[in-house]
Amino acid sequence: MPMLHPSRTAKALLAAAVLPLALAACSSGTTVQPSSAKTKPAKDPNAGLLTGAQLKKALAPASFFATGFAVDPSGARDSGTTYTPPSSSPAPKPDCSLLSGTSWIAITGDSGVSFAQNDYVSKNTSEDIAQEVDTYRGTTSTTVLTHLEKTATTCATFTDSDTHTKVKVTGATTPGLGDAAYTLTLTNSAWQNGTTLIAVRAGTDVVSVLSTAGHDNGAATAKKLATRIVTSLKGEHQHV
């Protein structure tokens, strides 16, 4: 039996029917358009912030301190050329005894991304002068001073671990230093001299100093040192 072939008309109709199906098949997938816009890299949260190595250069040198003062090697440290993750978690009831230490700014519960510090002690009088700079992201440096002001109320008094006597703490806003400054004065009838703590906000940096030098609870030396560091920080930022 001979094979039957479709007529030319039938072939034309068949081809016409197949073409739309082929086009539909081609257009049914998702067309990927080439993108000329590149994905923007995430912004570096530490951009423009000083490292510990840079902050170290802003600390007052040995020549700043009076004769007889020498740096305590155990208290000299910095975060180097890297940054650390920040945190902010002030305790409802801070450890007020931290105010008698060289890293007293830690009482606020706010930690920065870099720092540098050291401590100078007089071999003749045992007077102590400590200096530290901490760098924070964003507006955290403002928060640090806010938390510090609250500490002045929370830690109005605490017990000195050496003499087991009461330490009185008073606080006051201090004009003329950096962008903002706050001073804490610690006094105790069992001490020969009180202690002055000053925290100064300079942009994203916070300078914190401690002084027991002199006969004014260390106030003059603390203010002079804080001023010196704030000025040095401006120079370091110009090199960033």
Side-chain angles (χ1 to χ4, degrees), residues 48-136:
L49 302 182
L50 297 178
T51 64
Q54 292 168 316
L55 295 174
K56 182 179 179 180
K57 297 177 183 178
L59 296 178
S63 59
F64 171 88
F65 301 89
T67 302
F69 279 87
V71 68
D72 177 5
S74 66
R77 58 179 68 90
D78 63 80
S79 54
T81 58
T82 59
Y83 298 97
T84 58
S87 66
S88 182
S89 56
K93 174 61 177 176
D95 180 3
C96 299
S97 65
L98 290 173
L99 293 176
S100 59
T102 55
S103 295
W104 60 270
I105 196 67
I107 197 170
T108 65
D110 307 294
S111 66
V113 295
S114 58
F115 77 94
Q117 67 181 100
N118 61 35
D119 183 24
Y120 281 77
V121 180
S122 171
K123 61 182 180 181
N124 301 319
T125 64
S126 297
E127 291 174 322
D128 196 3
I129 305 175
Q131 56 181 342
E132 179 175 346
V133 188
D134 294 86
T135 296
Y136 304 85

Side-chain angles (χ1 to χ4, degrees), residues 177-189:
L177 283 175
D179 298 320
Y182 197 78
T183 298
L184 295 175
T185 304
L186 282 57
T187 55
N188 186 328
S189 58

Side-chain angles (χ1 to χ4, degrees), residues 12 26 40 76 78 120 164-165 167-168 182 187 214 217 219 230 237:
C26 291
K40 293 183 179 179
D78 63 80
Y120 281 77
H164 303 289
T165 53
V167 178
K168 181 181 179 181
Y182 197 78
T187 55
N217 298 325
V230 170
H237 276 286

Side-chain angles (χ1 to χ4, degrees), residues 150-173:
K150 293 179 180 179
T151 298
T153 302
T154 307
C155 296
T157 61
F158 67 93
T159 302
D160 176 28
S161 59
D162 293 329
T163 62
H164 303 289
T165 53
K166 289 292 182 181
V167 178
K168 181 181 179 181
V169 180
T170 57
T173 300

